Amino acid sequence: MKILIRFIFLLLLFAYNPFDLQTHAKDRLIIKADQNVSPIPNTLYGVFFEDLNFGADGGLYAEKIKNRSFDFPQNFMGWKIFGNVELKKDGPFPNNPHYVTLKQSGHREKKTGLVNEGFFGIGFEDDKSYRFSVWARTLSETTSSIIVELIDPSTQDESQVMASGYIEVTDSAWKKYEVILNPHKTVKNGQLRVFLSSDNPVDLEHLSLFPVNTWAGQENGLRIDLVEMLRDLNPGVFRFPGGCIVEGTDTASRYRWKNTIGPVENRKLNENRWQFTFSNRSFPDYYQSNGLGFFEFFQLAEDLGAEPLPILNAGLICQFQNEDENQPSMEELQEYIDDALDLIEFANGDINSTWGRVRSDMGHSKPFNLKFIGIGNEQWGPQYPVRLKAFKDAIHGKYPEIKIIGSVGPYPEGIDFEYLWKELKDMGIDMVDEHMYQSETWFSQQTDRYDSYDREGPEIFVGEYACHIEGEKYNQFQAALMEAAFMTGLERNADIVKMATYAPLLSHIDGWQWRPDLIWFDNLESFPTSSYWVQKLFADNRGDFIVPFELSIEPSNNDRKLFISCSFSGDECYIVKIVNTDDSPEEVEIIFEDLLPGFYIEGIDHIVLKSADLTQDNSISNPTLIRPISQTFNYKNNDIVKIEPYSVNILKFKKRH
Ligand code: AHR
């Protein structure tokens, strides 16, 4: 009887074991520790930049004045003028000919001047200094003067003026003048006010305001917080200048890199093609000053330690917006091809070459060591391959070492995609640029996408991708989770997938056209999304070689929830990435098979990014809601690692020394 009672007790105990829930399947991950399939290139994880969402002017480019040279088609867009202000058109910079003359308004109590609204206001911080500069001249032999103020328009009393400076204009020839302003208050939506303070009139051109502290102290510089966020992504490749912006809405607005170099005052303005792309988010005042131009892009790539990857117009204007018969003809293609050849010389030519000299005159005598060039962004149909072939012949005729990247259109599948893939392969293009803005279901089903790609090439550049949750185009954790799952597939296939860049990168909270994006900012602050953290975790923990593995799941079923990649890093650790897209935890027994003699694993650094609520993401008011958490554990071969629901896990198995 005693035995029977004991038996029933044990039976009940096993029937109710809280640690043996059905959802806690026991999975086995066997890592083939002595094998490496292929190196993982440094370029695998990179950054895609486009002047979209006010990513350049009003964003990364630290200039705070909109329409600084009065050359927008509506010359005073961004400005409010008062008193006696006259617009003129014979200024010192031929590509930006407009400037203003400020004259007394009559009575001494009256004022003449202008106010600039910046980009959704101008952000100032009370502990920072700002450099105002202007090109100016007097209209006679006597001096003139102006007062420059940073103001807070939300304050109605005298404290509205946060900083004030005085400039005496002494010369009747055009000269650059500067004054440093130190605001006594932090304001997100301030303004700049300039007014005449002398009886004598003055001419003003190219009014500019930068923080004194820019990235690397460069005068025509970049916002430090944003560059630091890019640097922290540890990118291996830096794609610029886009995106659709390369193509333009029409031939006039296509991106021309030659307009973006040389002295900033003389860089030709371009209409930003995102002005009216979305009727619900239209920004008629969105122009490209090109202050952030190709020289600065190359310099930034260098600062980030990333390979520069320019994308050039293929002789086709945005195909979404233009019929085939309106495209530039083949006869007109040479100008586009010359742009590509000249760009390679600008980047790599010695200082005695025409374009190498231009680079050197801009302050970079050493070449930028350009290795890749993209021709076309999102192209389709037979007009593209003929153009691409002409570029290829010309580029490889002169620069056989440059890898050429071709487009297979805006979608990652379908007839147009298949057509271009075949054309590009037959042409022997070096690398194919695939774009994917797809749903969570699509991403979860495509993690094995590249397993079956032809290893003979072309190589793959996943040039734009982001998970767009069905019907909900904004940042949320579920999208980041799906991107992570997909990225395990990129990494496992890094023998053929050589680069991948999430898109778009930057977005101004008040000026976005496209969501989701990787980094959000306003005039003072910025914050990372959970997609940003995924990019960073993968790039920081890339590893140097792909390591094969086997996974067995219990109970096995068709719903995949764990997505895995394994690599070995030269600093002697195995890196296992496990993404759990399911709402239940998983326990994974991790077994290293055939560890090299003398290689003992002593512990695991476990970094987790997770969120129980899939719809959440960081925000300007809660920028750290979702962020990676690190823990360190002891480990013996065959130990079980608990993988939490909805989580991205980086497990670094470190060698005992
Ligand atoms: O990343 C945003 C846009 O998406 C890019 O400009 C374009 O290439 C794609 O359609």
Side-chain angles (χ1 to χ4, degrees):
M1 186 61 179
K2 251 185 174 177
I3 292 176
L4 186 65
I5 291 171
R6 194 180 250 181
F7 177 72
I8 291 170
F9 175 76
L10 282 175
L11 210 64
L12 284 172
L13 186 71
F14 280 116
Y16 180 70
N17 180 352
F19 300 105
D20 190 25
L21 300 174
Q22 276 301 303
T23 48
H24 285 227
K26 174 117 173 283
D27 312 321
R28 279 164 69 89
L29 177 66
I30 301 171
I31 295 167
K32 314 279 183 182
D34 64 336
Q35 297 176 32
N36 70 64
V37 176
S38 165
I40 303 177
N42 291 338
T43 50
L44 181 59
Y45 302 118
V47 157
F48 159 102
F49 178 86
E50 177 162 19
D51 187 4
L52 159 68
N53 305 321
F54 286 82
D57 293 278
L60 186 59
Y61 185 48
E63 172 65 270
K64 290 180 177 290
I65 304 302
K66 183 163 69 190
N67 190 13
R68 59 190 173 186
S69 285
F70 311 103
D71 287 292
F72 282 20
Q74 280 79 31
N75 299 87
F76 286 119
M77 199 175 237
W79 295 96
K80 265 195 202 119
I81 55 171
F82 49 92
N84 191 353
V85 178
E86 202 182 327
L87 181 73
K88 299 207 176 132
K89 209 191 162 179
D90 57 345
F93 309 113
N95 288 331
N96 293 312
H98 292 94
Y99 65 98
V100 289
T101 301
L102 269 48
K103 286 186 188 151
Q104 278 297 343
S105 323
H107 193 280
R108 65 185 151 75
E109 291 296 321
K110 292 186 180 173
K111 293 222 184 306
T112 290
L114 354 81
V115 174
N116 191 274
E117 66 187 22
F119 300 91
F120 318 101
I122 297 176
F124 311 113
E125 288 172 90
D126 62 356
D127 55 347
K128 304 265 161 62
S129 300
Y130 297 85
R131 179 183 289 112
F132 171 82
S133 67
V134 60
W135 285 78
R137 66 175 178 185
T138 60
L139 276 72
S140 63
E141 291 311 308
T142 36
T143 62
S144 303
S145 62
I146 55 170
I147 288 180
V148 184
E149 295 173 339
L150 301 182
I151 59 176
D152 175 5
S154 68
T155 307
Q156 301 306 322
D157 58 29
E158 305 81 65
S159 69
Q160 194 190 53
V161 177
M162 300 183 299
S164 179
Y166 174 80
I167 290 178
E168 191 166 67
V169 181
T170 52
D171 213 310
S172 59
W174 286 103
K175 262 193 181 167
K176 188 175 177 182
Y177 296 83
E178 284 185 3
V179 65
I180 302 295
L181 301 168
N182 297 300
H184 61 78
K185 200 168 129 192
T186 295
V187 172
K188 199 168 269 187
N189 303 108
Q191 293 176 338
L192 173 92
R193 182 161 63 197
V194 176
F195 58 88
L196 182 68
S197 57
S198 59
D199 287 340
N200 294 323
V202 71
D203 284 342
L204 303 179
E205 156 69 319
H206 197 90
L207 289 79
S208 169
L209 182 74
F210 273 87
V212 169
N213 291 327
T214 54
W215 169 255
Q218 288 151 2
E219 271 208 17
N220 181 50
L222 308 180
R223 238 176 94 161
I224 293 179
D225 61 331
L226 294 179
V227 181
E228 283 179 349
M229 287 188 75
L230 302 189
R231 179 204 57 197
D232 293 349
L233 279 172
N234 202 2
V237 64
F238 179 67
R239 171 181 170 155
F240 58 91
C244 288
I245 209 154
V246 170
E247 302 164 40
T249 304
D250 48 22
T251 38
S253 59
R254 79 155 169 110
Y255 198 96
R256 290 166 196 259
W257 73 268
K258 288 173 183 165
N259 288 346
T260 74
I261 56 168
V264 282
E265 295 85 352
N266 200 32
R267 293 191 193 172
K268 211 171 186 153
L269 188 82
N270 196 17
E271 184 183 291
N272 189 302
R273 64 93 68 234
W274 295 103
Q275 270 186 348
F276 297 112
T277 309
F278 303 110
S279 54
N280 56 329
R281 301 290 304 170
S282 70
F283 294 86
D285 57 348
Y286 199 0
Y287 286 84
Q288 296 177 269
S289 71
N290 288 323
L292 171 52
F294 261 45
F295 180 82
E296 290 77 19
F297 284 133
F298 277 112
Q299 203 169 41
L300 179 58
E302 188 173 78
D303 290 353
L304 297 174
E307 296 293 345
L309 169 50
I311 307 287
L312 295 192
N313 189 301
L316 289 169
I317 312 308
C318 179
Q319 290 181 268
F320 285 111
Q321 294 172 312
N322 293 277
E323 306 301 326
D324 287 358
E325 53 275 22
N326 296 330
Q327 293 293 352
S329 67
M330 284 300 284
E331 287 67 49
E332 292 167 288
L333 196 63
Q334 194 55 45
E335 183 194 343
Y336 295 76
I337 293 176
D338 288 345
D339 273 358
L341 296 174
D342 293 344
L343 179 66
I344 298 169
E345 188 176 290
F346 176 75
N348 292 353
D350 79 50
I351 59 168
N352 298 314
S353 63
T354 311
W355 289 99
R357 161 71 56 198
V358 176
R359 180 196 71 238
S360 160
D361 288 349
M362 288 185 76
H364 202 284
S365 50
K366 280 202 321 231
F368 283 119
N369 197 14
L370 177 70
K371 301 188 183 104
F372 308 95
I373 195 165
I375 304 298
N377 175 48
E378 288 182 341
Q379 318 303 162
W380 60 79
Q383 285 187 314
Y384 177 57
V386 283
R387 285 165 173 75
L388 182 62
K389 176 79 169 57
F391 273 91
K392 182 176 180 299
D393 291 346
I395 294 173
H396 280 166
K398 201 165 175 192
Y399 302 106
E401 70 285 4
I402 297 284
K403 282 197 172 182
I404 302 180
I405 301 174
S407 158
V408 282
Y411 308 111
E413 54 213 2
I415 295 172
D416 291 337
F417 173 87
E418 302 293 341
Y419 163 75
L420 279 186
W421 242 108
K422 182 171 180 329
E423 291 287 323
L424 267 57
K425 196 178 171 78
D426 291 350
M427 192 190 297
I429 207 75
D430 298 301
M431 212 182 278
V432 161
D433 176 10
E434 296 190 348
H435 290 187
M436 41 203 74
Y437 297 100
Q438 300 287 327
S439 71
E440 60 277 27
T441 316
W442 188 92
F443 269 97
S444 69
Q445 289 166 354
Q446 293 284 323
T447 56
D448 297 337
R449 176 183 181 89
Y450 295 108
D451 294 5
S452 55
Y453 268 49
D454 183 356
R455 270 36 208 176
E456 296 301 310
E459 295 175 333
I460 310 298
F461 171 33
V462 183
E464 295 184 27
Y465 71 102
C467 175
H468 288 191
I469 301 296
E470 207 85 58
E472 310 269 0
K473 287 195 181 173
Y474 51 83
N475 287 90
Q476 45 188 303
F477 185 74
Q478 189 181 10
L481 196 62
M482 292 305 167
E483 286 149 11
F486 179 68
M487 287 166 77
T488 61
L490 301 182
E491 196 169 275
R492 282 190 297 97
N493 287 283
D495 60 319
I496 186 84
V497 180
K498 300 293 181 180
M499 305 173 177
T501 51
Y502 177 101
L505 181 66
L506 292 169
S507 194
H508 195 299
I509 287 170
D510 299 317
W512 62 269
Q513 295 86 45
W514 181 292
R515 296 185 304 190
D517 306 290
L518 207 61
I519 298 168
W520 286 81
F521 60 91
D522 64 17
N523 288 343
L524 295 177
E525 294 165 297
S526 46
F527 71 88
T529 58
S530 32
S531 292
Y532 174 94
W533 284 121
V534 165
Q535 293 294 320
K536 177 167 168 55
L537 288 177
F538 273 66
D540 284 352
N541 302 289
R542 192 188 71 233
D544 300 316
F545 296 95
I546 306 168
V547 175
F549 63 88
E550 277 167 15
L551 176 70
S552 56
I553 302 261
E554 285 174 24
S556 65
N557 59 31
N558 291 334
D559 285 341
R560 255 181 92 180
K561 43 192 167 189
L562 291 190
F563 299 89
I564 298 179
S565 68
C566 297
S567 61
F568 181 74
S569 151
D571 55 4
E572 306 208 304
C573 73
Y574 287 90
I575 304 173
V576 179
K577 301 185 180 75
I578 305 182
V579 180
N580 183 3
T581 56
D582 198 56
D583 61 358
S584 60
E586 289 288 314
E587 291 186 346
V588 184
E589 181 184 358
I590 300 190
I591 303 151
F592 283 87
E593 206 174 73
D594 301 323
L595 270 173
L596 295 174
F599 199 112
Y600 300 102
I601 292 171
E602 73 171 351
I604 316 176
D605 287 342
H606 186 172
I607 311 169
V608 187
L609 185 75
K610 60 176 181 165
S611 171
D613 181 347
L614 288 177
T615 63
Q616 280 188 326
D617 211 325
N618 297 329
S619 62
I620 202 91
S621 54
N622 199 351
T624 55
L625 177 68
I626 297 170
R627 69 199 146 93
I629 309 286
S630 299
Q631 284 171 291
T632 301
F633 298 103
N634 291 328
Y635 170 82
K636 295 188 306 315
N637 213 356
N638 291 49
D639 270 358
I640 289 171
V641 174
K642 185 173 170 193
I643 301 298
E644 296 190 67
Y646 299 143
S647 65
V648 179
N649 302 267
I650 309 290
L651 297 150
K652 295 172 85 166
F653 295 83
K654 297 175 298 181
K655 183 180 181 181
R656 186 196 308 156
H657 286 284

